[in-house]
Amino acid sequence: MSRPVALAQHYCAPVRFLSSEGKAKSGSSTNKSPGGNEEMSQEIVLTPGQKVVAGTRLTVWAAMAAAASVCAYYIGKELLPTKMSPNSVFDKSFSLIREYDEVKNRLGTPLKAYGRDHGGNREGRRNFIEHTQYTDQEDGTNRTRVRYNLEGKFGMAFVFAEVSSDMPSGEFVYILVQDKRNGHVITVVDNRSAIAATRMAGGSKEGMDAFSKLLGGGKS
């Protein structure tokens, strides 16, 4: 081998070695960069404006959820009324009144009932039923008291009705009908004396029997 060729091989070999080593380093660097980008992409940094928008959205969603819960409660209360609800007292008391002969003779038939009179001819549930819900101070029971309008062919009247949580469904503390023309009151149901007697007797059967004997002059 001639000397010039040997010298050329001697100087070119390191160049090839460095070139392949550079490629390896470059490939290694290239393989690491996607991993670095992946790690960076997993970290989401919100700007102050984006944080405000996200917080506002969460507040709106929470408010909408609360409003939906309240609406569901009142809708359920109207669709599934309990014995203490004003609409239930209205319906059940009117069912008794419309069959009461004295009321029919005085006001005439057919009878119709409706809530607060706004000058229209709307009836029943389409009007607000005036009511008061309170706790009786004497016996501690919950009470619902309603007032609504009653109208027949011959006249109009007010209806006053009250129920107690201590009484079975369908029973009333009282139902009174007051003629608007002269104030005459027709008593449809009145259990106030019986409730007072039960309270005075302590609510027991023995006490009620003793109280009945006392009112009856001691007769058994």
Side-chain angles (χ1 to χ4, degrees):
M1 180 182 297
S2 64
R3 187 175 180 84
V5 174
L7 290 175
Q9 290 179 349
H10 175 74
Y11 287 107
C12 288
V15 174
R16 286 197 300 270
F17 174 77
L18 290 175
S19 176
S20 61
E21 186 177 290
K23 287 182 180 180
K25 290 183 179 180
S26 176
S28 175
S29 176
T30 304
N31 291 336
K32 287 183 179 179
S33 60
N37 291 338
E38 184 177 355
E39 291 178 359
M40 292 177 61
S41 64
Q42 291 177 353
E43 297 179 2
I44 301 175
V45 180
L46 298 179
T47 64
Q50 290 174 329
K51 291 180 180 179
V52 171
V53 172
T56 303
R57 287 179 178 174
L58 289 176
T59 303
V60 171
W61 290 340
M64 291 175 64
S69 300
V70 172
C71 291
Y73 168 76
Y74 283 105
I75 290 173
K77 189 176 180 180
E78 288 296 320
L79 295 179
L80 301 172
T82 64
K83 71 173 185 177
M84 301 296 292
S85 69
N87 283 338
S88 179
V89 179
F90 169 84
D91 289 336
K92 293 179 179 179
S93 61
F94 182 52
S95 296
L96 295 176
I97 290 170
R98 72 198 314 170
E99 301 299 330
Y100 203 73
D101 289 336
E102 188 177 352
V103 176
K104 293 192 291 183
N105 293 336
R106 178 173 286 270
L107 299 180
T109 55
L111 292 170
K112 61 181 180 180
Y114 51 93
R116 181 182 295 171
D117 189 1
H118 296 285
N121 295 319
R122 295 176 296 174
E123 302 177 18
R125 293 176 185 261
R126 289 179 293 175
N127 288 62
F128 175 74
I129 305 300
E130 295 183 82
H131 66 278
T132 301
Q133 293 178 314
Y134 69 100
T135 300
D136 185 78
Q137 298 299 320
E138 298 292 335
D139 57 16
T141 60
N142 296 322
R143 302 287 184 93
T144 298
R145 178 185 299 163
V146 302
R147 188 186 86 158
Y148 57 90
N149 296 282
L150 187 67
E151 184 176 346
K153 186 167 56 176
F154 306 139
M156 301 174 65
F158 288 121
V159 175
F160 302 90
E162 183 170 317
V163 295
S164 170
S165 61
D166 202 36
M167 302 176 73
S169 179
E171 293 190 9
F172 292 83
V173 177
Y174 61 79
I175 301 176
L176 306 175
V177 178
Q178 184 179 34
D179 195 327
K180 289 185 179 182
R181 295 170 295 184
N182 52 27
H184 178 75
V185 176
I186 300 173
T187 302
V188 179
V189 175
D190 192 352
N191 288 315
R192 288 174 290 184
S193 297
I195 293 173
T198 302
R199 184 170 62 249
M200 292 175 65
S204 64
K205 185 178 183 301
E206 294 78 7
M208 286 296 299
D209 291 340
F211 193 80
S212 297
K213 290 179 181 180
L214 179 62
L215 294 178
K219 297 179 181 180
S220 57

